[in-house]
Amino acid sequence: GDSVTQMEGPVTLSEEAFLTINCTYTATGYPSLFWYVQYPGEGLQLLLKATKADDKGSNKGFEATYRKETTSFHLEKGSVQVSDSAVYFCALTPRSGAGSYQLTFGKGTKLSVIP
Amino acid sequence: NAGVTQTPKFQVLKTGQSMTLQCAQDMNHEYMSWYRQDPGMGLRLIHYSVGAGITDQGEVPNGYNVSRSTTEDFPLRLLSAAPSQTSVYFCASSKNRGEGYTFGSGTRLTVV
């Protein structure tokens, strides 16, 4: 079945550091790919998405590129802020079939940014 | 625009009790889902619905029941609560499959 693997956390960075959170996936065909963010005590928010190979999703300074050849969707930000401290989830939805109504999540990566 | 509203936010149940977690959305989304979030496990799909009157099981459906009588509401029923159902529950909705889901703020359930 489909699966998502993301780097284990926690990740601790200093403010203004460069962030990369790795995400790779296993799926049939061309799934849609997502990054969600969960701030403490809150639900998940969609951060960015990409629906086809070579698409780049971007939002709030975060970027991720859909790489079909390496089945990856790594999350990057050039300069993190304390307010970026949260848990980040990589997820996919198959393009078709019964499973296309559901998200398959990675286990999440906790990011802490210190001043 | 309220988005996805879940109630209650917190709940403590005794083993064997039943209860219903409420979920409502005001975005006219066809797709709705229930997930549970457990430490180290990520989020796992319990049940989902692709429209009023249509529901199906996800990855971890045992011990839970759902119905979808309207587009707006998608309640999750715990039939006989067990400590293994202690978790944070999220309801989510989507307009279509490729757009991603909008999540509610969650219900933290403890079964003692």
Side-chain angles (χ1 to χ4, degrees):
Chain A
D2 297 341
S3 66
V4 175
T5 302
Q6 59 182 106
M7 61 187 291
E8 298 284 334
V11 174
T12 302
L13 295 174
S14 297
E15 207 166 22
E16 299 185 0
F18 185 85
L19 168 70
T20 300
I21 301 178
N22 291 336
C23 171
T24 57
Y25 67 89
T26 301
T28 303
Y30 295 85
S32 295
L33 302 174
F34 307 90
W35 276 100
Y36 283 84
V37 58
Q38 184 178 30
Y39 298 102
E42 298 184 10
L44 279 73
Q45 300 175 24
L46 178 63
L47 182 60
L48 53 84
K49 66 180 181 184
T51 58
K52 61 182 187 294
D54 299 325
D55 265 3
K56 177 185 284 187
S58 61
N59 187 24
K60 299 181 181 179
F62 291 89
E63 294 182 341
T65 301
Y66 191 143
R67 300 291 188 196
K68 178 64 176 176
E69 61 278 10
T70 55
T71 61
S72 64
F73 193 54
H74 305 322
L75 182 69
E76 297 181 335
K77 187 175 185 184
S79 176
V80 294
Q81 305 300 312
V82 172
S83 58
D84 294 326
S85 297
V87 180
Y88 293 82
F89 292 91
C90 186
L92 67 81
T93 297
R95 190 61 57 86
S96 62
S100 62
Y101 300 106
Q102 66 189 62
L103 286 161
T104 297
F105 286 92
K107 294 186 177 181
T109 302
K110 183 176 182 180
L111 170 67
S112 297
V113 181
I114 55 177
Chain B
N1 189 344
V4 178
T5 302
Q6 291 185 237
T7 56
K9 290 190 180 300
F10 302 94
Q11 183 70 49
V12 178
L13 287 179
K14 294 181 178 180
T15 297
Q17 287 185 316
S18 62
M19 80 159 292
T20 299
L21 279 61
Q22 301 292 343
C23 175
Q25 53 91 8
D26 61 358
M27 298 172 285
N28 200 32
H29 285 173
E30 289 297 320
Y31 305 124
M32 295 187 75
S33 301
W34 277 101
Y35 290 84
R36 59 177 289 172
Q37 183 178 27
D38 302 292
M41 301 291 290
L43 284 88
R44 294 178 292 170
L45 181 67
I46 304 171
H47 285 285
Y48 66 95
S49 170
V50 300
I54 307 170
T55 63
D56 206 346
Q57 297 180 352
E59 181 184 356
V60 288
N62 292 339
Y64 307 95
N65 198 6
V66 293
S67 60
R68 184 100 180 268
S69 57
T70 67
T71 299
E72 294 78 19
D73 299 302
F74 191 43
L76 177 72
R77 281 181 285 277
L78 278 70
L79 309 173
S80 177
S84 60
Q85 295 178 304
T86 294
S87 187
V88 182
Y89 292 85
F90 289 101
C91 179
S93 73
S94 176
K95 186 172 182 62
N96 61 56
R97 290 173 284 190
E99 290 299 311
Y101 277 78
T102 299
F103 281 78
S105 58
T107 295
R108 183 174 295 274
L109 176 68
T110 302
V111 183
V112 298

